Amino acid sequence: MVNKNAIILAAGKGTRMKSKLYKVLHEVCGRPMVDHVLTQVEKTQPNQIVTIVGHGAEKVKDYLGDRSQYALQAEQLGTGHAVLQAEPLLKDEEGLTIVVSGDTPLLTAETFEKLFAYHHDKGAKATVLTATAPDPTGYGRIIRNDIGIVEKIVEQKDTNDKEAAVTEINTGVYCFDNQTLFKALHQVTNQNAQGEYYLTDVVEILKNQGEIVAAYRMPHFEESMGVNDRIALSQATKVMRHRINTLHMQNGVTLIDPEATYIEVGVEIGSDTIIEPNVVLKGNTKIGSDCFVGAGSTIIDSTIDDNVQITSSTIESAVMHTGSNIGPNSHLRPSAEIGEEVHIGNFCEIKNAKIGNRTKVGHLSYVGDATLGTDINVGCGVVFVNYDGVQKHQATVGNHVFIGSNSNVVAPVALADHTFVAAGSTITDDVPEKAMAIARARQTNKADYWQKLPVANDQDWQ
Ligand code: UD1
Ligand code: MG
């Protein structure tokens, strides 16, 4: 196999994004654009990968880590100048070098492989990946001669009318003979409309030296889309979303309306799970088989086992075990762990708490910093009072406990197995096994109190 190297261009400012965030770190379906590019490049198994970084270099390096080497382009003088920064790392390499932009997040490894094959077949020193754009505005145009051979690439700002009308565009991906690339780059000048050193000029330089330069036109423009502004970012996201959703449906997941289902890259979903519209699944989320995720639910970095029913709820960094259910309108916050067959009903919030198997938290409750056993009934409106204004405290509840409605469980406190809390109690002391705790003022009825009320003489109240 031929020795292969890769250069990813990621030093440009991305002015057109009008953002504080560095362009290639803008996310498409949950991952920065440059991560998508690197992931596809990695699949082609290059010997060395060099990412060219500039402004915000630390952020890109922090994100990609040791998946790549880095070369700093201190000043953004153009794509040709950017590639030249990799010379110290790659100059002794024989074989191919592929150059890819960090802002083309939809390109796939299969397309790169086709480019390598085409380059090889043509015996070329440079091959450009091209596509036909419905609207080529903004892209470099591929200028071919009368018999269809590539002569040069002309940037949008340098085109004449005839060149501007060309719809075949440069995708910004190239395959070069490594040694030839760096030799030619030293001959690139900045005599153009933008005063930049264009990588694209290498094509004409090699042509003039009598080298073979080829252009491989990929069938689908969509995949080559370059993201320079927020409009393109939304378009790329839409294409990526469609790709992700199609894969899930092929794997046996029902998406009621794939156009309105937002699943990030890397989310796993088992077969026969049904997902309703306006569901957002993010980060490191795994959902099992035979689940139901109802309209309007958001699940982030969470693990949902098989047979779980989720109705219009938000789940973050939490776990739901087999057969449990939640919602509508409940919230699992970080480190909530919901046991098997557990029922979490409406308007409940669970945070940093473990709920044992078959326990029910049906309505309007807050459970924070607590460990609950199995087969518990938590009544309506129960609050685990975990915070004293300075510190969080833990509560523990044993198995087969009944906590009556509208009770407060003031931590630190422990309720042993088979205990019973009377409704409306404020529990501040531990409750021993099999005891009933009642902690509220006794009711007194004041006879004939009505007569003392000012309304007593009001005709309307009689
Ligand atoms: C570039 C191509 C254009 C092509 C388009 C495809 C050139 C001169 N033009 O234009 O022919 O149609 O991509 O999307 O190459 N970058 C650096 N350092 C720099 C400048 C840019 O690292 O000094 C990086 C950017 O971060 C980006 C990539 O190179 O990832 C492309 O730069 P960008 O400014 O987006 O070029 P385009 O105008 O899109
Ligand atoms: Mg671009």
Side-chain angles (χ1 to χ4, degrees):
M1 207 172 71
V2 195
N3 183 36
K4 245 184 289 163
N5 297 291
I7 299 173
I8 299 175
L9 302 183
K13 283 186 206 128
T15 354
R16 288 165 280 183
M17 294 299 282
K18 304 217 165 83
S19 175
K20 290 184 284 304
L21 184 68
Y22 189 54
K23 172 160 91 174
V24 297
L25 291 177
H26 278 266
E27 289 188 358
V28 169
C29 296
R31 301 245 168 106
M33 293 198 274
V34 69
D35 184 352
H36 286 292
V37 172
L38 177 57
T39 301
Q40 298 305 316
V41 165
E42 282 167 341
K43 287 189 190 166
T44 69
Q45 299 181 317
N47 190 28
Q48 294 195 56
I49 302 174
V50 181
T51 302
I52 313 296
V53 290
H55 300 275
E58 295 316 316
K59 285 191 181 140
V60 175
K61 278 191 195 175
D62 285 352
Y63 188 85
L64 299 177
D66 59 11
R67 291 168 67 192
S68 171
Q69 302 179 74
Y70 301 92
L72 180 72
Q73 186 193 23
E75 255 188 299
Q76 279 60 60
L77 303 178
T79 47
H81 178 257
V83 173
L84 207 48
Q85 309 311 305
E87 192 179 32
L89 289 165
L90 297 181
K91 66 177 186 308
D92 298 328
E93 295 278 337
E94 297 293 335
L96 300 182
T97 290
I98 176 175
V99 178
V100 191
S101 294
D103 65 350
T104 47
L106 300 171
L107 283 164
T108 60
E110 292 76 54
T111 298
F112 297 155
E113 296 291 358
K114 284 184 191 150
L115 177 69
F116 296 142
Y118 193 85
H119 179 82
H120 183 257
D121 286 354
K122 295 285 167 191
K125 290 286 191 213
T127 304
V128 188
L129 181 68
T130 76
T132 302
D135 174 9
T137 313
Y139 290 95
R141 308 296 205 283
I142 305 295
I143 309 301
R144 295 180 183 257
N145 68 12
D146 297 345
I147 53 165
I149 293 176
V150 183
E151 302 239 282
K152 58 180 175 179
I153 302 174
V154 181
E155 288 308 296
Q156 167 84 34
K157 288 189 179 149
D158 301 294
T159 51
N160 58 35
D161 288 351
K162 193 166 162 234
E163 288 161 343
V166 171
T167 54
E168 187 182 3
I169 58 102
N170 169 25
T171 65
V173 179
Y174 320 78
C175 185
F176 294 103
D177 170 73
N178 187 63
Q179 297 289 331
T180 310
L181 166 66
F182 288 109
K183 242 176 259 153
L185 276 176
H186 285 286
Q187 296 162 45
V188 171
T189 69
N190 62 354
Q191 305 301 304
N192 52 54
Q194 304 189 81
E196 285 185 5
Y197 295 89
Y198 291 162
L199 174 59
T200 44
D201 284 356
V202 165
V203 167
E204 200 179 2
I205 289 168
L206 292 181
K207 223 37 229 188
N208 291 340
Q209 291 170 358
E211 301 287 6
I212 301 177
V213 176
Y216 168 62
R217 196 191 304 222
M218 56 190 289
H220 305 293
F221 163 73
E222 209 175 56
E223 187 192 319
S224 74
M225 191 190 298
V227 173
N228 296 320
D229 57 28
R230 310 272 182 160
I231 296 144
L233 185 69
S234 75
Q235 287 161 346
T237 299
K238 193 167 181 179
V239 175
M240 182 72 78
R241 182 161 70 229
H242 182 258
R243 249 188 226 173
I244 294 169
N245 289 354
T246 303
L247 263 176
H248 286 297
M249 291 189 284
Q250 281 164 347
N251 288 340
V253 178
T254 295
L255 303 183
I256 304 290
D257 183 0
E259 293 296 309
T261 307
Y262 308 86
I263 306 175
E264 287 188 351
V265 189
V267 170
E268 294 173 24
I269 312 173
S271 64
D272 287 322
T273 283
I274 298 172
I275 308 216
E276 288 196 331
N278 288 323
V279 165
V280 181
L281 307 177
K282 295 170 81 115
N284 181 21
T285 289
K286 291 187 181 54
I287 298 178
S289 301
D290 302 299
C291 293
F292 168 82
V293 185
S297 296
T298 298
I299 307 178
I300 306 164
D301 294 328
S302 295
T303 302
I304 311 296
D305 292 344
D306 297 343
N307 268 305
V308 169
Q309 310 278 312
I310 296 165
T311 312
S312 306
S313 290
T314 298
I315 299 174
E316 304 167 73
S317 304
V319 178
M320 290 186 75
H321 291 297
T322 308
S324 57
N325 65 73
I326 186 169
N329 303 311
S330 281
H331 188 183
L332 297 185
R333 292 176 48 209
S335 300
E337 185 180 346
I338 308 304
E340 292 175 14
E341 314 281 330
V342 164
H343 166 64
I344 308 290
N346 357 220
F347 302 103
C348 293
E349 177 179 336
I350 318 278
K351 184 218 78 171
N352 188 31
K354 207 174 157 171
I355 313 289
N357 298 346
R358 297 174 302 281
T359 284
K360 295 183 173 62
V361 184
H363 340 260
L364 302 153
S365 287
Y366 171 64
V367 183
D369 300 304
T371 306
L372 273 63
T374 62
D375 304 286
I376 296 170
N377 187 79
V378 176
C380 176
V382 170
V383 174
F384 279 71
V385 182
N386 60 331
Y387 188 46
D388 60 13
V390 182
Q391 271 184 306
K392 301 280 164 65
H393 299 281
Q394 285 284 329
T396 49
V397 181
N399 302 329
H400 295 279
V401 171
F402 183 97
I403 305 178
S405 293
N406 200 27
S407 293
N408 300 308
V409 179
V410 183
V413 75
L415 280 63
D417 291 351
H418 298 281
T419 50
F420 188 102
V421 173
S425 292
T426 293
I427 300 298
T428 52
D429 297 332
D430 290 356
V431 184
E433 227 177 285
K434 296 186 178 162
M436 196 273 274
I438 179 161
R440 53 169 139 98
R442 283 204 174 274
Q443 180 172 338
T444 46
N445 292 339
K446 310 236 172 174
D448 293 327
Y449 193 78
W450 169 257
Q451 302 308 329
K452 295 187 181 156
L453 296 177
V455 292
N457 301 319
D458 188 329
Q459 285 304 315
D460 294 344
W461 284 78
Q462 296 310 309

Coordinates of all heavy atoms in Angstrom, one line a residue, residues 305-351:
D305 N -32.3 1.7 29.5 CA -32.3 0.3 29.2 C -33.6 -0.1 28.4 O -34.3 0.8 28.0 CB -32.3 -0.6 30.5 CG -30.9 -0.4 31.2 OD1 -30.0 0.0 30.6 OD2 -30.8 -0.8 32.4
D306 N -33.8 -1.4 28.1 CA -34.9 -1.8 27.3 C -36.2 -1.5 28.0 O -36.3 -1.4 29.2 CB -34.8 -3.4 27.1 CG -33.6 -3.7 26.3 OD1 -32.9 -2.9 25.7 OD2 -33.2 -4.9 26.4
N307 N -37.3 -1.4 27.1 CA -38.7 -1.3 27.6 C -38.9 -0.2 28.5 O -39.7 -0.3 29.5 CB -39.0 -2.6 28.4 CG -39.6 -3.6 27.5 OD1 -40.6 -3.3 26.9 ND2 -39.0 -4.8 27.5
V308 N -38.3 0.9 28.3 CA -38.5 2.1 29.1 C -39.5 3.1 28.3 O -39.4 3.2 27.1 CB -37.2 2.8 29.4 CG1 -37.4 4.2 30.0 CG2 -36.3 1.9 30.3
Q309 N -40.4 3.7 29.1 CA -41.4 4.7 28.5 C -41.0 6.1 29.0 O -41.0 6.3 30.2 CB -42.8 4.3 28.9 CG -43.2 2.9 28.8 CD -43.7 2.6 27.4 OE1 -44.5 3.3 26.8 NE2 -43.1 1.5 26.8
I310 N -40.8 7.0 28.1 CA -40.5 8.3 28.4 C -41.5 9.3 27.8 O -41.6 9.3 26.6 CB -39.0 8.7 28.0 CG1 -38.0 7.8 28.7 CG2 -38.7 10.2 28.2 CD1 -36.7 7.7 28.1
T311 N -42.2 10.0 28.6 CA -43.2 10.9 28.0 C -42.8 12.4 28.3 O -42.7 12.8 29.5 CB -44.6 10.6 28.6 OG1 -44.8 9.2 28.6 CG2 -45.7 11.3 27.9
S312 N -42.6 13.1 27.3 CA -42.3 14.6 27.4 C -41.4 14.9 28.6 O -41.8 15.7 29.4 CB -43.6 15.4 27.5 OG -44.4 15.1 26.4
S313 N -40.3 14.4 28.7 CA -39.4 14.6 29.9 C -38.0 14.9 29.5 O -37.6 14.7 28.3 CB -39.5 13.4 30.8 OG -40.7 13.3 31.4
T314 N -37.2 15.5 30.4 CA -35.8 15.8 30.2 C -34.9 15.0 31.0 O -35.2 14.9 32.3 CB -35.6 17.3 30.5 OG1 -36.5 18.1 29.6 CG2 -34.2 17.7 30.3
I315 N -34.0 14.3 30.4 CA -33.1 13.4 31.2 C -31.7 13.7 30.9 O -31.2 13.7 29.7 CB -33.4 11.9 30.7 CG1 -34.9 11.7 31.0 CG2 -32.5 10.9 31.3 CD1 -35.4 10.3 30.5
E316 N -30.9 14.1 31.9 CA -29.5 14.5 31.7 C -28.6 13.6 32.6 O -28.8 13.6 33.8 CB -29.3 15.9 32.2 CG -30.1 17.0 31.7 CD -29.9 18.2 32.6 OE1 -28.8 18.9 32.5 OE2 -30.8 18.6 33.3
S317 N -27.6 13.1 32.0 CA -26.6 12.3 32.7 C -27.2 11.4 33.8 O -26.8 11.3 34.9 CB -25.6 13.2 33.4 OG -25.0 14.1 32.5
A318 N -28.2 10.6 33.4 CA -29.0 9.8 34.3 C -29.1 8.4 33.7 O -28.8 8.2 32.5 CB -30.3 10.4 34.5
V319 N -29.6 7.4 34.5 CA -29.8 6.1 34.0 C -31.2 5.6 34.4 O -31.7 5.9 35.5 CB -28.8 5.1 34.8 CG1 -29.0 3.7 34.4 CG2 -27.3 5.5 34.5
M320 N -31.9 5.0 33.4 CA -33.2 4.4 33.7 C -33.1 2.9 33.3 O -32.7 2.5 32.2 CB -34.3 5.0 32.8 CG -34.6 6.5 33.2 SD -36.0 7.2 32.3 CE -37.4 6.3 33.0
H321 N -33.4 2.1 34.3 CA -33.3 0.6 34.1 C -34.6 0.1 33.5 O -35.6 0.7 33.4 CB -32.9 -0.1 35.4 CG -31.5 0.2 35.8 ND1 -30.4 -0.1 35.1 CD2 -31.0 0.9 36.9 CE1 -29.3 0.3 35.7 NE2 -29.7 0.9 36.8
T322 N -34.5 -1.2 33.1 CA -35.5 -1.9 32.3 C -36.9 -1.7 32.9 O -37.1 -1.9 34.1 CB -35.2 -3.4 32.3 OG1 -33.8 -3.5 31.8 CG2 -36.1 -4.2 31.3
G323 N -37.8 -1.4 32.1 CA -39.3 -1.4 32.5 C -39.7 -0.2 33.2 O -40.8 -0.1 33.7
S324 N -38.8 0.8 33.4 CA -39.2 2.0 34.2 C -39.9 3.0 33.2 O -39.9 2.8 32.0 CB -38.0 2.6 34.8 OG -37.0 2.9 33.8
N325 N -40.6 3.9 33.8 CA -41.3 5.0 33.0 C -41.2 6.3 33.7 O -41.1 6.4 34.9 CB -42.7 4.5 32.7 CG -43.6 4.5 33.9 OD1 -43.9 5.5 34.5 ND2 -43.9 3.2 34.3
I326 N -41.4 7.3 32.9 CA -41.3 8.7 33.4 C -42.2 9.6 32.6 O -42.4 9.4 31.4 CB -39.8 9.2 33.4 CG1 -39.7 10.6 34.1 CG2 -39.3 9.3 32.0 CD1 -38.3 11.0 34.4
G327 N -42.8 10.6 33.3 CA -43.5 11.7 32.6 C -45.0 11.6 32.7 O -45.5 10.7 33.2
P328 N -45.6 12.6 32.1 CA -45.1 13.7 31.4 C -44.4 14.8 32.3 O -44.8 14.9 33.5 CB -46.3 14.3 30.6 CG -47.4 13.9 31.5 CD -47.1 12.6 32.1
N329 N -43.6 15.6 31.7 CA -43.0 16.8 32.3 C -42.2 16.5 33.6 O -42.3 17.2 34.5 CB -44.1 17.8 32.6 CG -44.8 18.2 31.3 OD1 -44.2 18.5 30.3 ND2 -46.1 18.1 31.4
S330 N -41.3 15.5 33.5 CA -40.4 15.3 34.7 C -39.0 15.5 34.2 O -38.7 15.6 33.0 CB -40.7 13.9 35.3 OG -41.8 14.0 36.1
H331 N -38.1 15.6 35.2 CA -36.7 16.0 34.9 C -35.8 15.1 35.7 O -35.8 15.1 37.0 CB -36.6 17.4 35.3 CG -35.3 18.0 34.9 ND1 -34.9 19.3 35.3 CD2 -34.2 17.5 34.2 CE1 -33.7 19.6 34.8 NE2 -33.3 18.5 34.1
L332 N -35.0 14.3 35.0 CA -33.9 13.6 35.7 C -32.6 14.4 35.5 O -32.2 14.6 34.4 CB -33.7 12.2 35.1 CG -34.9 11.2 35.2 CD1 -34.5 9.8 34.7 CD2 -35.4 11.1 36.6
R333 N -32.0 14.7 36.6 CA -30.8 15.5 36.6 C -29.6 14.6 36.8 O -29.8 13.4 37.1 CB -30.9 16.7 37.6 CG -32.0 17.7 37.1 CD -32.2 18.8 38.1 NE -30.9 19.3 38.6 CZ -30.7 19.9 39.8 NH1 -31.7 19.9 40.7 NH2 -29.5 20.3 40.1
P334 N -28.4 15.1 36.7 CA -27.2 14.3 36.8 C -27.2 13.3 38.0 O -27.6 13.7 39.1 CB -26.0 15.3 36.9 CG -26.5 16.4 36.0 CD -28.0 16.5 36.4
S335 N -26.8 12.1 37.7 CA -26.6 11.0 38.7 C -28.0 10.6 39.3 O -28.0 10.1 40.4 CB -25.7 11.4 39.8 OG -24.4 11.7 39.3
A336 N -29.0 10.7 38.6 CA -30.3 10.0 39.0 C -30.2 8.6 38.4 O -29.8 8.4 37.2 CB -31.5 10.8 38.4
E337 N -30.5 7.6 39.2 CA -30.5 6.2 38.7 C -31.9 5.6 39.1 O -32.2 5.4 40.3 CB -29.4 5.4 39.3 CG -29.4 4.0 38.7 CD -28.2 3.2 39.2 OE1 -27.3 3.7 39.8 OE2 -28.3 1.9 38.9
I338 N -32.6 5.3 38.1 CA -34.0 4.9 38.2 C -34.0 3.3 38.1 O -33.6 2.8 37.0 CB -34.9 5.5 37.2 CG1 -34.7 7.1 37.2 CG2 -36.4 5.1 37.4 CD1 -35.0 7.7 38.5
G339 N -34.5 2.6 39.1 CA -34.4 1.1 39.1 C -35.5 0.5 38.1 O -36.2 1.2 37.5
E340 N -35.5 -0.8 38.1 CA -36.4 -1.5 37.2 C -37.8 -1.3 37.6 O -38.1 -1.3 38.8 CB -36.0 -3.0 37.2 CG -34.7 -3.3 36.6 CD -34.3 -4.8 36.7 OE1 -35.1 -5.6 37.0 OE2 -33.1 -5.0 36.5
E341 N -38.7 -1.2 36.6 CA -40.2 -1.1 36.9 C -40.5 0.1 37.7 O -41.6 0.1 38.3 CB -40.7 -2.4 37.6 CG -40.3 -3.7 37.0 CD -41.0 -4.1 35.7 OE1 -42.2 -3.7 35.6 OE2 -40.4 -4.7 34.9
V342 N -39.7 1.0 37.9 CA -40.0 2.2 38.7 C -40.9 3.1 37.9 O -40.8 3.3 36.7 CB -38.7 3.0 39.0 CG1 -39.0 4.4 39.5 CG2 -37.9 2.2 40.1
H343 N -41.8 3.8 38.6 CA -42.7 4.8 38.0 C -42.4 6.2 38.5 O -42.5 6.4 39.7 CB -44.2 4.4 38.3 CG -45.1 5.5 38.0 ND1 -45.3 6.0 36.7 CD2 -45.9 6.3 38.8 CE1 -46.3 6.9 36.7 NE2 -46.6 7.1 38.0
I344 N -41.9 7.0 37.6 CA -41.8 8.5 37.9 C -42.9 9.2 37.1 O -42.8 9.1 35.9 CB -40.4 9.0 37.5 CG1 -39.2 8.1 38.0 CG2 -40.2 10.5 37.9 CD1 -39.0 8.2 39.5
G345 N -43.8 9.8 37.8 CA -44.9 10.4 37.1 C -44.7 11.8 36.6 O -43.7 12.1 36.0
N346 N -45.7 12.7 36.9 CA -45.6 14.0 36.3 C -45.0 15.0 37.3 O -45.1 14.9 38.5 CB -46.9 14.6 36.0 CG -48.1 13.7 36.1 OD1 -49.0 13.8 35.3 ND2 -48.2 13.0 37.2
F347 N -44.3 16.0 36.7 CA -43.7 17.1 37.4 C -42.9 16.6 38.6 O -43.0 17.1 39.7 CB -44.8 18.1 37.9 CG -45.6 18.6 36.8 CD1 -46.9 18.1 36.5 CD2 -45.1 19.6 35.9 CE1 -47.6 18.6 35.4 CE2 -45.8 20.0 34.8 CZ -47.1 19.6 34.6
C348 N -42.0 15.7 38.4 CA -41.0 15.3 39.4 C -39.6 15.6 39.0 O -39.3 15.7 37.8 CB -41.1 13.7 39.6 SG -42.7 13.2 40.3
E349 N -38.8 15.9 39.9 CA -37.4 16.2 39.7 C -36.5 15.2 40.5 O -36.8 15.2 41.8 CB -37.1 17.6 40.0 CG -35.6 18.0 39.8 CD -35.3 19.5 40.2 OE1 -36.3 20.3 40.1 OE2 -34.2 19.8 40.5
I350 N -35.6 14.5 39.9 CA -34.8 13.6 40.7 C -33.3 14.0 40.4 O -32.9 14.1 39.2 CB -35.0 12.1 40.2 CG1 -36.5 11.8 39.9 CG2 -34.3 11.1 41.1 CD1 -37.3 11.4 41.1
K351 N -32.5 14.2 41.4 CA -31.1 14.6 41.2 C -30.2 13.8 42.1 O -30.6 13.7 43.3 CB -31.0 16.1 41.5 CG -29.6 16.6 41.2 CD -29.1 17.6 42.2 CE -28.7 17.0 43.5 NZ -28.0 17.9 44.5

